[in-house]
Amino acid sequence: MRWRGINHVEFSVLDYENSIAFYDKMFGWLGYKSFWTLDVGYRSTYYMARFPIPHSYIGFQPARSGDKLDHEARKTGIHHVALWAKGRREVDDFYSEFLTPNNVNVTEKPAEYGLYAPGYYAVFFDDPINGIHWELAHIPRIPSIGAYMRWKKAMKNEEARRPEWRGDFMKEAMRTLPPRE
């Protein structure tokens, strides 16, 4: 069974220097490390949360063409990237200590999103230079009974709104993928 998810994601960014200055501040605030900023045929900067332990990382390199992304237009491409938060307090502190003072466009303030998972708590925002849409989210390993009940209620309400769902939402949500041949 696979126990790691994405190896890495890399973005091409406008105004590389200012983009890296923004991401240095953002990832530095979140406790990430920048472990590579070298030109090896292409210029790139990488950030990792659990350096030096091999883990998912995020990279940025200069774009050769293109315009600032418009998240609201929902064009083909990446919709958003969600980063793990240590807890609700980190989400709130990130909002008040990083996003607000740096005038970062917050599209959804910190809140519990009861439909996503029990206790799911997040803030959504846009990179001011490139328009990349981000989320900082916390999902408790063991949700409180209240969070679990709010999630169940939210899912039942959604189930009632969705006649195309044929019964239990968990059965509707889970799909079997074809195995390796």
Side-chain angles (χ1 to χ4, degrees), residues 41-82:
Y42 62 94
R43 191 169 179 198
S44 222
T45 296
Y46 297 103
Y47 303 91
M48 185 184 296
R50 290 182 10 204
F51 186 83
I53 300 164
H55 194 271
S56 303
Y57 59 92
I58 300 167
F60 299 91
Q61 60 181 267
R64 292 189 180 145
S65 66
D67 298 312
K68 185 174 182 175
L69 299 174
D70 177 4
H71 171 70
E72 291 300 316
R74 302 255 176 144
K75 292 182 179 181
T76 301
I78 194 157
H79 181 271
H80 74 278
V81 178

Side-chain angles (χ1 to χ4, degrees), residues 79-120:
H79 181 271
H80 74 278
V81 178
L83 304 171
W84 284 103
K86 295 174 186 172
R88 284 177 175 235
R89 181 169 187 156
E90 185 175 41
V91 173
D92 289 336
D93 290 348
F94 182 70
Y95 171 74
S96 64
E97 296 174 14
F98 179 80
L99 296 173
T100 301
N102 287 291
N103 297 313
V104 175
N105 180 39
V106 174
T107 59
E108 295 175 63
K109 291 182 179 182
E112 183 171 310
Y113 294 86
L115 197 57
Y116 298 170
Y120 196 109

